[in-house]
Amino acid sequence: MYTQALNAGAAERETPFVEDAGAAARFQARIDAEERIEPNDWMPAAYRKTLTRQISQHAHSEIVGMLPEGNWITRAPSLRRKAALLAKVQDECGHGLYLYAAAETLGTSREEMVDALLEGRAKYSSIFNYPTLTWADIGAIGWLVDGAAIMNQIPLCRCSYGPYARAMIRVCKEESFHQRQGYEIMLTLCRGTPEQKAMAQDALNRWWWPCLMMFGPPDSQSQHSDQSTKWKIKRFSNDELRQKFVDATVPQGHYLGLTFPDPDLRFNEETGHWEFGEIDWDEFRQVLAGNGPCNRERLAARRKAHEDGAWVRDAAAAYAEKRRARTEMKVAA
Ligand code: FAQ
């Protein structure tokens, strides 16, 4: 069934069909009626393109996102922490695989998407280009990075494209566990020795601003937002989700007894929101351009993993070929 969907996508890509206004209007009417779009349904080429872009970037983020935390698996402070971190990193891998599968239903193969990542043509989340310097960073990633990911992904469970929306339901459940394990690490450190609390504070200081950047450029500079909102891929704007995240997270930080590295952070009684200072968008642009603290290291690690795994892919392909030949022989007999 999966292959059928893929082939259908590929065939449609190759078929030169006219995108007449009627088809586009009927498509928009389905979206407005909250109908789900499925792989074999007609869709505008631009809808297919933007979803392939977003879902594949999301998949790459999950896979590259294994690296900063994977760095601490062998150095986790107890067996319990090691088991939880190992499970979390495996979950991220699973999320990447569901997402590549969801993106493939739009007609681009996983190989094409992975090549784009390895050749530096595809983006992945800026957040994974920062280093994990201490164990407290594992707490901060779970609490803040997974917290930001959940805030962004819960609305994606209602995205108009069926395979993406369905994948997001399971992903969000798992991210919720990740967020709690991160917060629990932070809580333990904050209730520990002064040195442990200082480690937690230092991690919050380093991860806070990059986490706010995860939500993407300000609405005024978000080139895809208007169209993606119209197509109900996006349900909230980048700035709306960023504000929701700040409002949810600041009280959690205060409960830990930590401070935020933002002198302009203050609660506005009238609006009921936490106001925050100016984000360094130049830093964000630099990270997207490949000049973040770990961009080169991350891509080098992914390329090495891909090369090291070549024999597994070859063996799987040879096994599949053997099974196919065996089935053909049985059918012929
Ligand atoms: N980093 O016009 P917009 C996770 C790009 S998963 C890098 O606003 P859009 C789980 C954007 O792609 C984290 N690039 O774009 C985990 C576009 O470039 P393009 C990933 C960014 O799509 C936890 C350009 O800027 N989550 O953390 C970023 O409407 C722990 C203009 O931007 C997702 O991918 C960025 N932060 O809105 C794993 C969620 N922001 O393509 C391991 C799905 C923007 O034109 C450990 N994605 N750009 O070359 C989305 O919701 C959206 O794509 C946004 C961006 C909100 C990220």
Side-chain angles (χ1 to χ4, degrees), residues 50 53-55 57-59 61-66 69 88 92 95 123-128 141-142 145-146 148-149 152-153 156 164 175 178 210 213-218 221-225 228 234 238 241 284 288:
T50 205
R53 174 189 67 79
Q54 176 167 328
I55 304 173
Q57 285 176 0
H58 194 166
S61 304
E62 299 282 357
I63 298 297
V64 178
M66 295 164 73
E69 289 170 290
K88 178 186 192 292
E92 310 298 359
H95 298 173
K123 288 193 173 76
Y124 58 87
S125 183
S126 50
I127 194 70
F128 302 117
I141 290 181
V145 176
D146 285 275
N152 165 272
Q153 287 169 192
L156 289 174
Y164 192 25
E175 301 290 27
H178 298 168
M213 295 173 196
M214 279 178 75
F215 295 92
Q221 289 163 38
S222 165
Q223 74 231 41
H224 301 294
S225 271
S228 289
K234 276 176 130 165
N238 297 357
L241 289 173
F284 177 70
L288 260 59

Side-chain angles (χ1 to χ4, degrees), residues 66 69 73 79-95 174 177-178 181:
M66 295 164 73
E69 289 170 290
I73 291 172
L79 185 59
R80 175 174 168 262
R81 294 291 186 206
K82 192 194 287 274
L85 182 59
L86 198 57
K88 178 186 192 292
V89 173
Q90 281 179 343
D91 284 352
E92 310 298 359
C93 182
H95 298 173
E174 293 177 353
F177 156 75
H178 298 168
Q181 71 85 40

Side-chain angles (χ1 to χ4, degrees), residues 30 42 47 77 99 119 178 226 255 258 300:
R30 291 190 62 197
W42 184 86
Y47 178 84
L99 286 162
E119 288 164 18
H178 298 168
D226 285 350
Y255 182 79
L258 298 177

Side-chain angles (χ1 to χ4, degrees), residues 19 49 76-77 81 124 132 146 184 208 220-221 277 283 314:
E19 291 215 0
K49 189 173 166 204
R81 294 291 186 206
Y124 58 87
T132 39
D146 285 275
E184 205 246 337
W208 178 245
S220 56
Q221 289 163 38
E283 176 179 323
D314 290 347

